[in-house]
Structures are given as structure tokens and as C-alpha cells.
Amino acid sequence: VIDMQGAQTVSRFRGIGRYTLNLTKALVRNRGRHEIYLVLNGLFTDTIEPIRIAFDKLLPQENIRIFSATGPVSEIHFGNKSRRQISEFLREEYLDSLNPDIIHICSLFEGYLDDAVTSIGLLGEATPVSVTFHDLIPFLNYEHYLKQNKTFSAFYHSKLAYLRRASILLTQSDSVTREGAKHIPFNKNNIV
């Protein structure tokens, strides 16, 4: 199961969105006899059809699934907290209902400004979860990103806590691999 929210949020206009689509297409093209499900967030209605079209010749449409959450859930607005927490459980329950051998999250650090819902391990850690680990820029530049904005700092640290529950991290560079091993800290053998 691949969580495609990185191709649905504002990240879809940046490198994370392109990387999410390209990595997922490569996995789908090379799946062999493995079954792959793509999971989209139903709160991003305008992104569902373009993603379906992007995978039209690559994957059966019934393998593109939509999970429902009650929005808004963006973390920037304190009033969304209970909806976001409930939606995190609902998302994990939905992913679990697909009986995955592994879940891959293309972009975990989503949902501060928009209605993305990401979490790891709220229902236990029976299914391995891999995460595309892009960087630790906010963490490594605390003064600029986290010190002045307590709401964003809380959001970011909650995502770091989820990241620590992942089974494996996939990175794009040796530099990010070293950052993860040193600062999260995450077992270097589980960062690829």
C-alpha cells in the first residue's frame, strides 16, 4: 500500500510531489506479481482524477483507493485537533483493512497547512511501514523554523515521533542518511 498524499497536498507542485509520482510509477512498473494499492485522501477531491489518469495504463483503477476523513484537519488551526486525531486512526484502520505486507508513506511531514493525515503506529506496529525521508531542514535550522512558531514546532516534533516508529527510511542521498542516523536517531542499517 502506498500513501500518495505527497502528490495531493501543496507538495504536489514541488519536488516531493514529483518524487512521489515518479517513485510510485517505478514501483508499479516493476511490481511483477505483487499487488499494489495506491491510497488517496478524499479531502483533496481535485487531485484524485489527475492521479487516476496518471496511473490509468499502469494499474487497475480498483487498486486506487480513497480514504475518508472529516475535515478540516490542518494542524495550524487548533480547533481541528480532535478531527485530526480521529482521522489519523481512521486512516490507519483503512490502510490495515487492505491487509498490506508493507505500507509506504511518500511524505510523512504533511498536514500543517492543509488536510493531509499522516501517522504511524497508532494501532500498533504489526505492519512494517517505510517512509521516504526527505530531510531534517526544520530540525537542523531550529532558530529559523521551530523556535518562533510553537504550533509548527509541535507539529514537526509529532511527525518526528511517528518517523521513529517507521521500520525503514528511504532517502535520496548519503547526507540525509547520515542526518537521520545522527539526529533522529534511527538505526543506520534501516536507512537506505
Side-chain angles (χ1 to χ4, degrees), residues 121-138:
L122 295 176
L123 301 176
E125 298 178 14
T127 303
V129 177
S130 63
V131 175
T132 300
F133 174 50
H134 298 282
D135 60 56
L136 282 175
I137 290 171

Side-chain angles (χ1 to χ4, degrees), residues 71-148:
V73 295
S74 62
E75 191 134 357
I76 194 169
H77 300 292
F78 183 78
N80 295 339
K81 184 176 181 177
S82 60
R83 280 189 300 276
R84 184 182 61 261
Q85 290 172 334
I86 291 167
S87 294
E88 287 174 350
F89 278 100
L90 290 172
R91 176 187 154 277
E92 287 196 22
E93 180 64 35
Y94 183 78
L95 296 177
D96 189 55
S97 76
L98 298 172
N99 297 314
D101 295 311
I102 190 166
I103 297 166
H104 182 71
I105 301 172
C106 293
S107 186
L108 179 65
F109 290 80
E110 302 285 348
Y112 181 68
L113 295 174
D114 56 40
D115 291 325
V117 178
T118 63
S119 60
I120 298 174
L122 295 176
L123 301 176
E125 298 178 14
T127 303
V129 177
S130 63
V131 175
T132 300
F133 174 50
H134 298 282
D135 60 56
L136 282 175
I137 290 171
F139 182 81
L140 297 175
N141 296 284
Y142 175 82
E143 295 289 323
H144 180 71
Y145 289 99
L146 303 176
K147 184 178 183 181
Q148 312 269 338

